[in-house]
Amino acid sequence: MYSSKWTGRALCLTIPASRSGLRMREVSEAYGRRSDEYVRALGSLDSTHAEDQKLISRWGRQIKGPIIDVGCGPGHWTEFLTAQGCNVRGIDPTVEFITSARQRFSQCRFALGSAESLPANSAMGILAWYSLIHHDPVRLDIALQSCHAALSPGGSFLVGFFTAPAHAPFSHAVTTAYFWPLNEFVSCIEHVGFTVLETHERHDTTSRPHGAIVAQRS
């Protein structure tokens, strides 16, 4: 079940964008090598949790303007929000994912792109559903700053990630990813200027602990 709770603070550092870009290219290439496998295993709503569908649907239907699905991967959440009547486009740095998404969901809009390269004031909503899990603490700040700048005032940000009592890397099936304590991720989001509106946690016996945050650009 979901619960809403958070306490404490965390310091998010910054590093040169060039170093962050190098790491993200490595992540994209790793996903590209396993894209077919990933799409088969996780490229549909059948692989998602019902509670996540409810949260993303409720969030998306409240957005009055363009939504960007950042790190859309196989494109199933972009298709889901499109079916909800949302004005949404999916972006991902992995060519193989964008090619597959365009073929599988031809009624949706997809383009190459990343969290770090979003145009300023280009959206009223940004969904980053497990697309920031490969960012280490110092790189995360760059992506969050870009998402904040890409939203128009009043825009909404929804992010999903893996939670744990302490921040730590783990061996994700594709490439290294990171657990985040919910309160630390909240602090990083607030550090770049967001106002946090909702926090959620879910603990299932069949999957890693999950966290989600809804925040707003003031």
Side-chain angles (χ1 to χ4, degrees), residues 48-115:
T48 66
H49 198 285
E51 291 296 322
D52 297 343
Q53 295 180 30
K54 291 178 183 178
L55 174 62
I56 292 173
S57 175
R58 173 174 62 84
W59 172 83
R61 286 184 282 108
Q62 294 173 348
I63 306 299
K64 306 303 180 184
I67 297 173
I68 304 175
D69 180 7
V70 173
C72 64
H76 52 295
W77 286 118
T78 303
E79 193 275 337
F80 177 75
L81 286 171
T82 298
Q84 305 287 312
C86 299
N87 174 14
V88 57
R89 62 188 174 96
I91 67 169
D92 198 280
T94 302
V95 173
E96 292 84 355
F97 277 155
I98 294 301
T99 300
S100 174
R102 286 171 172 167
Q103 293 171 347
R104 297 169 66 232
F105 307 117
S106 59
Q107 76 280 22
C108 300
R109 294 176 294 147
F110 297 99
L112 288 171
S114 68

Side-chain angles (χ1 to χ4, degrees), residues 97-161:
F97 277 155
I98 294 301
T99 300
S100 174
R102 286 171 172 167
Q103 293 171 347
R104 297 169 66 232
F105 307 117
S106 59
Q107 76 280 22
C108 300
R109 294 176 294 147
F110 297 99
L112 288 171
S114 68
E116 293 81 2
S117 61
L118 296 170
N121 295 309
S122 58
M124 284 301 297
I126 290 177
L127 175 67
W129 203 250
Y130 285 89
S131 58
L132 302 181
I133 63 171
H134 301 291
H135 289 62
D136 66 25
V138 291
R139 292 179 176 90
L140 180 66
D141 196 53
I142 295 172
L144 292 177
Q145 287 178 10
S146 179
C147 289
H148 183 270
L151 285 168
S152 298
S156 184
F157 180 56
L158 172 55
V159 58
F161 55 99

Side-chain angles (χ1 to χ4, degrees), residues 182-203:
L182 181 62
N183 65 301
E184 288 190 18
F185 214 115
V186 164
S187 294
C188 288
I189 287 176
E190 292 178 331
H191 174 75
V192 303
F194 281 111
T195 299
V196 171
L197 303 180
E198 301 177 26
T199 64
H200 303 277
E201 282 187 288
R202 187 180 66 247
H203 299 272

